[in-house]
Amino acid sequence: KTDKEIFAHLRRDHYSKQPVDDGLSSKIFDNYLEDLDPGRIFFTASDIGSFEPYRDRLDDALKKGDLEAAFAIYNRYQLRYIERLVYLIRILEESIEDIDFSQDESILTDRSEAPWPADRTDLEHLWSKTLKGDILNLLLDGKSNEEITEMLLKRYRSQLNRAQQTKSEDVFQRYMNSFTRTFDPHSQYFSPRSTENFNINMSLSLEGIGAMLTTENEYTKIVRLVPAGPADKAGELKPDDRIIGVGQGTDGEIVDVVGWRLDDVVDLIRGPKGSTVQLMIIPADAVDDHHTRIIKIVRNTVKLEEQAAKSEVITLKRGDSEYRLGVITIPTFYLDVDALRSGDRNYRSTTRDVRNLLAGLESENIDGIIIDLRDNGGGSLQEANSLTGLFITRGPVVQIKYANQRVEKLYDRDPRIFYSGPLAVV
């Protein structure tokens, strides 16, 4: 159903009126193979040959919501990916001292235009050379054979574990984006989980405990706590603690999460404001992995301040003069749409934050301002428009032309200027 909706939406509403035909099907086919195997180290020539009948059929399949081709290709990729890791792990488990480094060999670092490996023997030759490259890099870094074996086994086993946790939604998202990229590079399909994360980044808030997590081997580990978040205020959870179980409520059953995907663990820990989550952890200072404890944290709204606009004052010298410059870094154009719609007067937005930062900088007698947008990935067009309005009197900021040729102009209609001094934008 989602396939059909995306297909109909792009065909009807996208600005780029692409003919949905065998030519488009061929582009989707190439995009998908490039996304899965850009280095051409998983598929063989015979694999690609078996996929070729799909090349001019994907357009018809998308119209009908038929995803057989997408999953057939992915399942073969998944098989090859796992075979590679099992092969490398087996070599390392035997002994890296038996690996022959005396041959005159080289690795092509960009294989995007290389021919597909002819067969399994060619694949294993490629995999063997990449393993040798990894080992040599670590030897040059001063590591011993024992250290190298331990590091690479840990790396490959971790990759194998993650590969075996792939879900159909992951495959669907990759395939749909291979389709949407044929229209333009910025049209994307977001899975429900990706959409949730996008909305969190736009509102700079979520409901949970306020802990940044990562995966280390089979464990979910605390990287850091969000300042003033529920976990930080509770004072029991610490960086490097490992979470091995999660329970809901004050006395709910603890679910073992060792070996789980990180996003699945996150789903269990997040929850509505005011609810309680139990975490079974191995503390960072535990003498062994059998030393565990259970902590209870009441979830609350967590503000992601580190992703908000921020300012600093730098001093630069030119000749005999010193200048104090205010630098405002804006990582994204964020807007808490739900808070705005609900009438919350304290809703979060880039424009409101930057306006406050400008007032603070001007009170420090700065000589000029630099707006840093270098790492800004975009976000709310409404915010980009209103932010521009802080620096101009009034007038059009951007034009939008729609697929039906209608043109819309976004204006700054507020004549006020909140900063009129020397300004640079990078």
Side-chain angles (χ1 to χ4, degrees):
K1 183 181 176 184
T2 306
D3 171 338
K4 289 180 178 178
E5 288 185 6
I6 293 170
F7 179 85
H9 184 61
L10 285 174
R11 193 177 190 183
R12 181 183 66 245
D13 299 327
H14 200 283
Y15 184 82
S16 171
K17 294 296 185 183
Q18 296 261 24
V20 181
D21 53 16
D22 290 354
L24 185 78
S25 176
S26 183
K27 290 179 184 176
I28 299 168
F29 181 80
D30 289 335
N31 280 350
Y32 195 39
L33 292 181
E34 182 184 356
D35 176 55
L36 294 176
D37 191 8
R40 301 194 172 192
I41 62 170
F42 297 111
F43 290 132
T44 64
S46 60
D47 289 333
I48 301 301
S50 69
F51 300 153
E52 275 298 326
Y54 297 130
R55 180 178 287 278
D56 58 2
R57 298 180 190 169
L58 298 181
D59 56 323
D60 298 320
L62 284 162
K63 292 175 189 175
K64 297 181 288 186
D66 179 1
L67 297 165
E68 179 190 351
F71 281 89
I73 293 172
Y74 190 90
N75 289 343
R76 184 76 57 84
Y77 161 77
Q78 176 91 333
L79 176 67
R80 297 281 182 253
Y81 187 87
I82 290 173
E83 285 176 346
R84 173 179 175 269
L85 292 170
V86 170
Y87 174 77
L88 296 178
I89 289 169
R90 190 180 73 243
I91 293 175
L92 288 167
E93 285 177 337
E94 289 171 356
S95 175
I96 67 171
E97 293 177 1
D98 296 334
I99 298 175
D100 183 7
F101 288 100
S102 65
Q103 302 173 54
D104 183 6
E105 293 179 310
S106 61
I107 297 175
L108 186 63
T109 54
D110 181 2
R111 288 185 45 81
S112 59
E113 301 297 327
W116 296 98
D119 50 29
R120 176 61 185 261
T121 302
D122 272 6
L123 276 180
E124 290 185 355
H125 185 55
L126 264 178
W127 298 342
S128 176
K129 288 200 295 184
T130 58
L131 175 60
K132 289 181 181 181
D134 288 342
I135 292 171
L136 287 172
N137 281 329
L138 291 169
L139 281 170
L140 290 169
D141 211 24
K143 299 288 190 296
S144 68
N145 283 347
E146 293 74 18
E147 290 174 316
I148 292 170
T149 300
E150 182 182 354
M151 288 178 67
L152 291 181
L153 279 175
K154 188 179 292 185
R155 178 189 302 174
Y156 296 145
R157 285 168 178 161
S158 177
Q159 291 174 1
L160 183 60
N161 181 56
R162 288 199 301 273
Q164 292 168 333
Q165 294 175 333
T166 302
K167 298 182 178 180
S168 58
E169 182 63 50
D170 304 323
V171 183
F172 181 70
Q173 179 168 279
R174 293 182 77 162
Y175 181 61
M176 281 297 110
N177 282 323
S178 296
F179 170 43
T180 61
R181 279 206 318 278
T182 61
F183 283 78
D184 82 282
H186 306 292
S187 291
Q188 291 181 321
Y189 163 71
F190 280 7
S191 68
R193 181 170 277 153
S194 298
T195 302
E196 181 184 8
N197 290 331
F198 175 80
N199 291 335
I200 286 170
N201 291 330
M202 284 294 288
S203 64
L204 296 191
S205 69
L206 59 89
E207 292 186 349
I209 66 170
M212 306 297 288
L213 309 176
T214 189
T215 299
E216 185 177 90
N217 300 328
E218 299 293 295
Y219 295 100
T220 299
K221 189 173 84 168
I222 307 295
V223 177
R224 65 183 182 84
L225 304 179
V226 176
D232 185 37
K233 288 180 178 178
E236 293 186 86
L237 201 60
K238 307 293 181 188
D240 294 329
D241 287 349
R242 287 172 290 168
I243 299 171
I244 61 172
V246 181
Q248 306 302 323
T250 56
D251 54 2
E253 179 187 355
I254 302 287
V255 177
D256 186 298
V257 296
V258 175
W260 280 34
R261 282 170 50 133
L262 181 61
D263 46 10
D264 288 336
V265 179
V266 168
D267 283 348
L268 283 183
I269 296 175
R270 283 181 189 164
K273 176 181 177 180
S275 61
T276 299
V277 62
Q278 301 174 72
L279 302 179
M280 177 179 283
I281 65 166
I282 301 173
D285 57 1
V287 292
D288 59 52
D289 289 356
H290 300 294
H291 180 69
T292 64
R293 56 189 290 242
I294 295 176
I295 62 177
K296 298 178 182 180
I297 301 173
V298 177
R299 300 177 178 106
N300 206 335
T301 301
V302 180
K303 300 296 183 182
L304 304 178
E305 294 298 332
E306 70 276 5
Q307 297 176 31
K310 55 183 70 69
S311 67
E312 63 175 319
V313 176
I314 60 174
T315 302
L316 296 180
K317 199 167 185 179
R318 173 169 285 187
D320 295 328
S321 302
E322 275 194 350
Y323 297 91
R324 286 167 51 79
L325 299 180
V327 179
I328 298 178
T329 303
I330 305 173
T332 183
F333 295 113
Y334 50 87
L335 172 65
D336 191 341
V337 177
D338 290 338
L340 175 63
R341 287 174 178 163
S342 67
D344 184 350
R345 293 187 176 185
N346 296 315
Y347 70 90
R348 200 69 189 269
S349 83
T350 310
T351 305
R352 293 169 66 122
D353 287 351
V354 171
R355 190 165 58 212
N356 292 333
L357 293 173
L358 287 170
L361 289 172
E362 289 200 288
S363 69
E364 296 194 41
N365 299 317
I366 42 101
D367 298 300
I369 284 179
I370 298 170
I371 303 290
D372 188 352
L373 300 176
R374 287 175 296 177
D375 295 320
N376 189 306
S380 166
L381 185 58
Q382 174 185 328
E383 280 303 302
N385 178 64
S386 59
L387 179 76
T388 305
L390 300 179
F391 304 97
I392 64 173
T393 50
R394 53 161 55 111
V397 175
V398 65
Q399 283 192 142
I400 308 164
K401 190 173 184 179
Y402 291 88
N404 63 4
Q405 303 304 304
R406 180 174 67 88
V407 176
E408 178 186 357
K409 293 178 183 177
L410 297 186
Y411 285 88
D412 168 40
R413 303 185 185 279
D414 188 341
R416 293 176 296 171
I417 293 179
F418 289 86
Y419 175 77
S420 58
L423 176 72
V425 181
V426 294

